[in-house]
Amino acid sequence: MSITKEEELTGMQRASEVVAVILKRMTAFAKPGMTTKELDNFGAGLFKEFGAKSAPNLAYGFPGWTCISVNNEFCHGIPTDRTILRDGDLVNIDVSAEVGGYWSDNGGSFVLGPDTNGHQQLVDASKQILKKAISNIKGGVRISDIGFLIESEARKRGYKVIKNLNGHGIGRHLHEEPSEIANYRDRSNTRRFKKNSVVAIETFISTRSSLAVETGDGWTTVGDKGGFMAQHEHTIVVTDGAPIILTASNDIWA
């Protein structure tokens, strides 16, 4: 969406604050021995507390309040009673919601407890690359140039990017135009970021794979060549200068 009046900005700020707080509190709540379903149920209580609706459930019928992916799962993991969190796990929580007619989205990967499996470097790379990408976004910048920046920064660190997962426009719906804000230079994409537009910028930084493929449950994805992936995401408003980071209170950069 494009912000054209104050009430739209206020609505996006409210929805974004809700998803940011839910992500932050779910991340803090995650503990070894807990199932991903228990973690999602905790999130469900927060959604109800804030009067929010789960965006993936509302838009696509996703079987959970939030997407929780663990270890070799890349994204869209279904919360279940079978997945038990353990020290050293690479965990990703993606929280998106509709609040009062406005939609916002954010996500973050983190290592649960001690970094016994050596995932922290990947997590840190994803955070740093997202920060650099967002700092370079303003009205008139080519979307493909930000994709090139993300992939270049990943390669410098010895990582790959997932080419079939993208950031996207957001606001009145979960996914809006521009629908494909890729993590690489898509030369066919000649569009530019527009001032006052609202977009969800995501990194998908991988150790081995370049594509995400669905598993048998129809939702969860893993890498086409295996490995691990870290994702971080903010919803922002594009300006003529520094973007307004609507989901900043999730503290993924803290």
Side-chain angles (χ1 to χ4, degrees):
M1 70 178 289
S2 180
I3 301 292
T4 60
K5 46 192 174 183
E6 187 66 29
E7 66 186 60
E8 291 173 336
L9 178 59
T10 300
M12 283 306 304
Q13 288 172 327
R14 169 61 179 160
S16 299
E17 180 68 13
V18 167
V19 297
V21 168
I22 293 175
L23 176 60
K24 181 178 178 178
R25 289 174 64 176
M26 286 183 69
T27 301
F29 186 75
K31 298 291 185 294
M34 178 184 295
T35 68
T36 54
K37 182 64 174 176
E38 288 175 298
L39 181 56
D40 190 57
N41 286 342
F42 174 75
L46 297 175
F47 272 86
K48 294 171 184 176
E49 177 184 333
F50 292 126
K53 297 177 182 177
S54 165
N57 177 265
L58 184 61
Y60 303 115
F62 178 76
W65 289 81
T66 64
C67 301
I68 304 176
S69 308
V70 182
N71 293 326
N72 66 311
E73 297 173 346
F74 278 20
C75 66
H76 306 152
I78 299 173
T80 74
D81 290 322
R82 298 184 303 277
T83 304
I84 300 173
L85 298 178
R86 305 185 189 285
D87 274 330
D89 280 350
L90 175 62
V91 182
N92 178 269
I93 304 174
D94 195 305
V95 179
S96 53
E98 182 272 328
V99 184
Y102 295 92
W103 303 61
S104 191
D105 195 358
N106 69 166
S109 296
F110 60 96
V111 176
L112 186 64
D115 184 28
T116 53
N117 298 313
H119 296 309
Q120 191 61 51
Q121 186 175 346
L122 175 64
V123 169
D124 291 344
S126 178
K127 290 181 181 182
Q128 293 160 8
I129 293 169
L130 179 66
K131 193 168 191 176
K132 186 165 186 176
I134 288 176
S135 72
N136 280 272
I137 294 174
K138 62 181 178 180
V141 170
R142 287 184 182 272
I143 290 174
S144 62
D145 285 349
I146 296 302
F148 178 69
L149 183 157
I150 292 171
E151 185 173 31
S152 298
E153 291 296 322
R155 284 179 171 174
K156 286 179 187 177
R157 295 164 169 82
Y159 297 121
K160 299 177 181 293
V161 297
I162 302 301
K163 295 192 173 183
N164 62 336
L165 297 175
N166 304 286
H168 51 91
I170 193 168
R172 288 296 190 176
H173 302 279
L174 179 56
H175 293 103
E176 299 180 345
E177 292 297 327
S179 59
E180 295 186 357
I181 303 175
N183 275 209
Y184 67 99
R185 176 172 278 168
D186 179 358
R187 296 186 183 278
S188 68
N189 187 351
T190 60
R191 292 175 296 175
R192 298 173 184 267
F193 287 101
K194 295 180 180 179
K195 180 184 177 182
N196 297 327
S197 64
V198 184
V199 291
I201 305 297
E202 308 183 58
T203 50
F204 301 99
I205 311 301
S206 166
T207 59
R208 293 173 58 184
S209 294
S210 297
L211 295 173
V213 294
E214 280 191 3
T215 60
D217 66 18
W219 294 99
T220 308
T221 68
V222 297
D224 64 328
K225 295 182 180 178
F228 301 92
M229 187 196 80
Q231 177 258 17
H232 291 87
E233 175 183 18
H234 273 304
T235 292
I236 69 171
V237 179
V238 180
T239 74
D240 280 335
I244 302 169
I245 303 174
L246 296 172
T247 48
S249 60
N250 62 24
D251 287 347
I252 62 174
W253 290 334

